[in-house]
Amino acid sequence: MGGWIASILRQPDAPVIEHLQCAAAAAALSAARAGAYAVTWDEVQGLVNR
């Protein structure tokens, strides 16, 4: 949910698919670490642009 909201706030004119990609990337990065971890926008964009 945080990835979706961050994407909408950072790039409000982007198509829905880009918001979905950011949300999925943020979830994947967060789940890849033990414990609570808030991913950075740069980490999300790095995974999306891979």
Side-chain angles (χ1 to χ4, degrees), residues 9-33:
L9 291 174
R10 286 185 162 258
Q11 47 190 11
D13 297 328
V16 172
I17 189 69
E18 287 188 32
H19 298 308
L20 290 171
Q21 289 171 334
C22 288
L29 289 165
S30 182
R33 298 190 186 233

Side-chain angles (χ1 to χ4, degrees), residues 5 7 9 19-20 27-29 35 39 45 47 49:
I5 293 169
S7 179
L9 291 174
H19 298 308
L20 290 171
L29 289 165
V39 298
Q45 289 303 298
L47 185 57
N49 295 325

Side-chain angles (χ1 to χ4, degrees), residues 25-46:
L29 289 165
S30 182
R33 298 190 186 233
Y37 179 72
V39 298
T40 66
W41 183 251
D42 290 336
E43 289 175 311
V44 170
Q45 289 303 298

